[in-house]
Amino acid sequence: MQQHLRTTVVTIASAALVGGLLLVGGGSAAAAPSGISGDFNGDGYRDLAIGAPLGKAGKKANAGYVAVVYGTKKGLDRSKRTIISQAKTTIPGTPEGGDYFGDRLTTGDLDGDGYTDLVIGVHSERIGKSSSYGTITVVWGGPKGLSKGVDISSPLPKYRSELGWSLATGDFDGDGRTDLAAVNIAAPELNIFKGPISRKGKAAGLVGIDTQDQTGINADRIIAGNVNGDRATDLLVMGQQAKGNGYITRSVLYKGGTAGLKPAGKVAGGYEAVIADVNKDGYGDIVTGNFMEKSAEEPNGGPGGAVTVTYGSAAGLSTRTPVRITQSTAKVPGTAKKGDRFGWSLSAGDTNGDGYADIAVGVPGKDVAGKTDAGAVVVLRGSAKGLTGTGSKGFTQNTAKVPDTSEERDQFGASVLLTDSNKDRRAELVVGAFAENNGAGAVWLFKTTKSGITATGSTAFGATGVGGPKGLSYFGDVLAG
C-alpha cells in the first residue's frame, strides 16, 4: 500500500485561549485592486498567511486557525492582521479537534475580481456522518482584506478522501481564468476545479485526473508554475511509483494547455518543490527538495538531504542535465550531516533585485551548537549559470542579530517563504519554526538589501504577537502569500 509522503504531525495537548481569537482585517479601502499575487486587500503590497493547525479555536484544541499579516510600504505590519478560523461566523464549519484548519494553504484570485483569495484545504474535516473527509474553504479577498469564506460546494467529486491534501492555483487551460487543483487521495487523485469559482462556491467545472493510471505516480503534493513560458500554467505532481516490492519517490510534470493538463515527463522525486526562473532565460525551472538520505528508494536524496534543479525550456523540460545541490556543494554554508533534512521546505524569490530567482532552503533538522534539530535556513542564489552555491547565505537563531537562541528541536526552517511585502522589488525571507517553545511556534522576518537577505533588523513573533492564543498551536507550520 502506498504511503503519502508528508503527513501532518499531530500532538495532543491543550492551549489556553487568550482574548478574542478573531480580529478585524487590516488594509485600506483602495479604489481598485492591485492585481498583485498575494495581495489580499488590493493595496499593492503582498500579505502573509500563517497556518497554526494545532491552535485552539472556539475552545477546541487542535482545531486550527490562520493568522494573516498585511504588507505595507514598511513591510509586514503586525498591527494590521486578521485571524481566520471556523469559530468565525463568516467562515464555514465548526471548530473540532483534529480538523487541523490551516495546515494546507494556497492563494489565487479565484473569482477574477483582482483581489487574491486564500484557499484552505481542510482535509481532515469529516463530511456529516459519512466516511468522506475533506473540504476546501475559500476566504475572499477585498478592499478590507480577507473576510467572508465559502466551501466549494459544486461540482464536487463523488467521494472525498482527504480532499484538499495538497493545493495549487493557476490557469491550467490558458483561458485567462484561475483554476484550483486539489489532491483527493481517493481516485481520481487529482481534481481540477475550473475557474472562475463563484462567491457561492460553485466552480465552472470539475476535471478528475488519475495520475497513477496515467504515469504510475500517485498524487501527493502538487506545485504550480510555468515551465515552458506559454500562457498556460503547468503542474508538478509529486508522489511515489511502484518499484519491485516497494516504492520510489518520483515526480511528473503535467503541461498546461487548451486541452488541460497532460503528462510531459518525469523529473527528480522529493517531498517539496518550487518552480521559478533561476537562470533568467524566461522559462521556469523545477527545484525539488528531498530531505532524505540517498538510497535506492530515494535516489534524489543526499548527505543530509538535497535539492535538484531540472531546467525548463520552450519545449518543457530542458535536455540540460539536472543539477543536484547539497550542503557538500562548494560555497553552500554548513556541513552535510545525516538527519539535517536539507530541502524540507523551499521558496523562490528575487532577494537582491538582479532578476534571478533565488531559492530559500529549510534545514530544520540541523544541529546548532550541540542543540539537536535546532534548524537552519540556506538561501541559494540564482545566476546566468543557474542555481549554484556561489553567494549563498545561511541563518540560524544563533546568527548575529537574529532574535532568540537555537534550542533543542525548534525546527527553525520547517517552513520558508520569500515574498516582497514592501514593493521594493526584493523578496524578504519569512522563516517558521512550528516547534518553538514546546510547539507554540514562531515566525521570523528577515529584511533584504541589494546584497540579498540580511539578519540586520530581523524580528520574530509568535501567535500572541498577532492576537492568537498561547500554548500549543504549531504557529508558522505553513506559510503562504
Side-chain angles (χ1 to χ4, degrees):
M1 179 178 180
Q2 288 186 321
Q3 300 296 315
H4 284 267
L5 303 182
R6 288 179 63 176
T7 57
T8 303
V9 181
V10 180
T11 304
I12 303 301
S14 62
L17 181 64
V18 177
L21 180 63
L22 306 170
L23 309 178
V24 177
S28 59
S34 69
I36 294 174
S37 174
D39 181 7
F40 301 129
N41 59 4
D43 64 355
Y45 301 100
R46 295 186 68 172
D47 309 312
L48 172 66
I50 305 166
L54 297 190
K56 181 176 283 189
K59 298 183 179 181
K60 292 291 185 179
N62 304 319
Y65 64 88
V66 179
V68 177
V69 180
Y70 291 91
T72 70
K73 64 181 179 181
K74 294 183 179 180
L76 294 165
D77 184 347
R78 282 185 281 154
S79 71
K80 294 179 170 57
R81 79 244 188 162
T82 303
I83 290 188
I84 298 166
S85 82
Q86 292 179 325
K88 193 172 184 179
T89 57
T90 55
I91 304 299
T94 302
E96 298 169 307
D99 278 352
Y100 313 125
F101 185 92
D103 77 341
R104 300 292 192 272
L105 302 175
T106 194
T107 63
D109 182 7
L110 297 186
D111 61 350
D113 66 352
Y115 296 95
T116 297
D117 310 309
L118 178 65
V119 188
I120 304 167
V122 197
H123 59 90
S124 294
E125 180 86 12
R126 186 175 180 179
I127 310 304
K129 296 182 179 180
S130 72
S131 58
S132 283
Y133 283 82
T135 189
I136 298 174
T137 300
V138 181
V139 186
W140 303 107
K144 295 184 179 180
L146 294 168
S147 55
K148 295 182 179 179
V150 66
D151 285 346
I152 294 180
S153 56
S154 177
L156 284 169
K158 292 181 180 179
Y159 180 68
R160 286 180 269 174
S161 178
E162 299 204 58
L163 176 67
W165 177 265
S166 186
L167 302 165
T169 60
D171 182 6
F172 302 118
D173 55 9
D175 67 353
R177 302 176 184 274
T178 302
D179 310 309
L180 171 65
V183 170
N184 184 20
I185 294 177
E189 293 180 310
L190 182 60
N191 293 121
I192 309 298
F193 296 90
K194 292 177 64 64
I197 294 175
S198 76
R199 290 271 173 146
K200 294 183 178 180
K202 185 174 181 179
L206 177 67
V207 176
I209 301 174
D210 191 333
T211 62
Q212 188 163 359
D213 181 63
Q214 291 182 352
T215 68
I217 298 173
N218 70 310
D220 189 277
R221 186 161 180 77
I222 51 177
I223 308 293
N226 195 323
V227 174
N228 63 354
D230 65 4
R231 293 179 58 186
T233 306
D234 308 313
L235 189 70
L236 182 71
V237 176
M238 310 183 77
Q240 296 173 306
Q241 183 175 13
K243 182 180 180 181
N245 294 325
Y247 295 92
I248 184 173
T249 54
R250 292 297 302 269
S251 303
V252 59
L253 178 67
Y254 273 74
K255 285 177 63 175
T258 55
L261 292 164
K262 302 295 180 184
K266 294 179 180 178
V267 299
Y271 301 86
E272 179 62 288
V274 66
I275 299 175
D277 187 5
V278 299
N279 60 354
K280 205 164 64 172
D281 65 354
Y283 305 109
D285 308 306
I286 301 171
V287 183
T288 55
N290 191 323
F291 64 88
M292 300 290 285
E293 306 300 313
K294 188 176 178 65
S295 68
E297 292 77 23
E298 306 287 351
N300 299 109
V307 298
T308 302
V309 187
T310 303
Y311 289 92
S313 72
L317 299 177
S318 172
T319 57
R320 179 177 175 180
T321 302
V323 176
R324 191 164 65 104
I325 298 174
T326 73
Q327 292 174 97
S328 296
T329 300
K331 300 184 180 180
V332 173
T335 301
K337 292 184 179 180
K338 186 175 182 179
D340 280 348
R341 287 183 279 149
F342 181 85
W344 174 274
S345 57
L346 298 172
S347 184
D350 181 1
T351 63
N352 65 343
D354 64 358
Y356 296 96
D358 307 312
I359 305 295
V361 184
V363 199
K366 177 62 97 179
D367 297 348
V368 180
K371 303 297 184 181
T372 302
D373 295 346
V377 174
V378 172
V379 180
L380 302 173
R381 293 283 292 274
S383 70
K385 295 180 179 179
L387 197 66
T388 70
T390 301
S392 57
K393 298 180 178 182
F395 302 93
T396 72
Q397 291 182 68
N398 280 1
T399 300
K401 299 183 181 179
V402 173
D404 208 3
T405 303
S406 296
E407 300 166 307
E408 295 272 346
R409 298 177 179 84
D410 277 348
Q411 313 261 4
F412 180 83
S415 59
V416 292
L417 181 70
L418 289 172
T419 182
D420 179 10
S421 63
N422 62 359
K423 206 165 57 175
D424 66 355
R425 298 186 179 182
R426 296 193 300 264
E428 306 100 51
L429 172 65
V430 185
V431 179
F434 69 85
E436 176 78 13
N437 296 330
N438 298 314
V443 166
W444 281 255
L445 307 180
F446 288 79
K447 294 185 177 181
T448 186
T449 68
K450 291 181 180 179
S451 62
I453 302 298
T454 177
T456 301
S458 57
T459 57
F461 61 93
T464 58
V466 288
K470 291 182 179 179
L472 180 73
S473 69
Y474 277 18
F475 182 82
D477 184 44
V478 182
L479 304 171

